[in-house]
Amino acid sequence: AQKVTQAQTEISVVEKEDVTLDCVYETRDTTYYLFWYKQPPSGELVFLIRRNSFDEQNEISGRYSWNFQKSTSSFNFTITASQVVDSAVYFCALSEASIRGGGGADGLTFGKGTHLIIQP
Amino acid sequence: GAVVSQHPSRVICKSGTSVKIECRSLDFQATTMFWYRQFPKKSLMLMATSNEGSKATYEQGVEKDKFLINHASLTLSTLTVTSAHPEDSSFYICSARSRDGVVNEQFFGPGTRLTVL
């Protein structure tokens, strides 16, 4: 069975600092997908990134960057020059490709989330 | 594009009543929809997977008779919480997977906050 661990329950930094959110996953599948979502107080999930298991390239999108390392089963997320608006709960999630999914992938297994607080 | 709506966004009901939550894909056809549950300050837990025209597949520990799921069309899935009790109070979120497009590209609805008195 798959598992996602976000060991950091809460992180508090001062604005403009860089911050890294850790994500470690477990899966027996060779084909899987990893995700990061942001959940502001409104509750709606905001999609940030999807990465499949065959693509280990790191990605940068503005102030956001992701480091995918299969060797350590990690998919860490870094926010550079953090801003108050980045304050939210961030979830890492995993989905395996399976026959049950009709060849597509199953529902997501989420980590417990990291509550990020950016102080002005 | 790729918008998923949920209705209602918030519902308060008395213990013992049933509540229906709708999940709609507004601009695409969804062969598969997923239902998640989130307790306050907790993670999201997958409850069930519904495929259009077939019975839903429930995750271990989720009561089928308690949480009835119907995926009657390619754009609509419903979750009915039957005989709701205070412990069913939670944030329920659906996601929809497009029939076309990228494999496992899921689009989440805005969620429904259920409070059972």
Side-chain angles (χ1 to χ4, degrees):
Chain A
Q2 63 266 40
K3 183 179 177 182
V4 176
T5 301
Q6 293 180 257
Q8 304 149 311
T9 306
E10 184 173 291
I11 300 176
S12 180
V13 300
V14 177
E15 198 172 22
K16 296 184 185 175
E17 286 186 20
D18 298 347
V19 58
T20 295
L21 282 61
D22 297 333
C23 173
V24 175
Y25 62 91
E26 294 176 31
T27 176
R28 288 178 289 189
D29 275 17
T30 56
T31 302
Y32 52 89
Y33 304 87
L34 294 164
F35 304 78
W36 275 96
Y37 288 90
K38 175 181 180 180
Q39 187 178 44
S42 64
E44 188 160 355
L45 286 175
V46 178
F47 169 79
L48 297 178
I49 190 171
R50 175 185 61 248
R51 180 51 50 90
N52 75 55
S53 52
F54 299 109
D55 182 3
E56 280 193 80
Q57 274 196 338
N58 291 329
E59 181 155 338
I60 298 175
S61 176
R63 295 184 297 106
Y64 296 169
S65 62
W66 291 270
N67 185 341
F68 177 25
Q69 300 218 340
K70 286 178 80 169
S71 60
T72 55
S73 297
S74 65
F75 187 43
N76 296 338
F77 171 36
T78 298
I79 301 175
T80 304
S82 60
Q83 299 175 3
V84 173
V85 293
D86 296 327
S87 297
V89 179
Y90 290 85
F91 289 99
C92 179
L94 165 74
S95 178
E96 296 172 338
S98 73
I99 296 173
R100 188 175 76 170
D106 283 343
L108 274 55
T109 296
F110 285 83
K112 292 188 176 181
T114 297
H115 185 196
L116 178 63
I117 301 168
I118 310 296
Q119 299 179 23
Chain B
V3 178
V4 175
S5 70
Q6 280 185 243
H7 179 80
S9 57
R10 187 180 294 266
V11 57
I12 301 173
C13 69
K14 291 183 179 179
S15 188
T17 60
S18 293
V19 175
K20 181 185 282 189
I21 302 170
E22 292 185 348
C23 176
R24 291 182 186 274
S25 55
L26 298 185
D27 50 3
F28 67 98
Q29 293 186 321
T31 47
T32 305
M33 290 184 171
F34 303 92
W35 287 95
Y36 298 84
R37 181 176 183 175
Q38 184 179 30
F39 290 105
K41 298 185 188 277
K42 297 290 185 184
S43 185
L44 287 84
M45 301 294 294
L46 178 66
M47 298 174 67
T49 302
S50 76
N51 292 297
E52 185 263 339
S54 62
K55 288 185 177 179
T57 303
Y58 291 80
E59 296 300 305
Q60 196 170 15
V62 177
E63 299 175 60
K64 307 179 181 186
D65 297 332
K66 175 73 166 175
F67 299 100
L68 301 178
I69 292 172
N70 187 314
H71 192 161
S73 76
L74 284 172
T75 59
L76 173 65
S77 176
T78 59
L79 167 67
T80 301
V81 183
T82 62
S83 187
H85 290 285
E87 58 266 28
D88 299 323
S89 298
S90 195
F91 192 53
Y92 293 88
I93 306 176
C94 72
S95 72
R97 188 169 74 200
S98 174
R99 182 172 64 176
D100 307 307
V102 178
V103 171
N104 199 32
E105 184 164 27
Q106 295 184 30
F107 305 97
F108 281 85
T112 297
R113 196 166 300 279
L114 170 64
T115 303
V116 185
L117 302 176

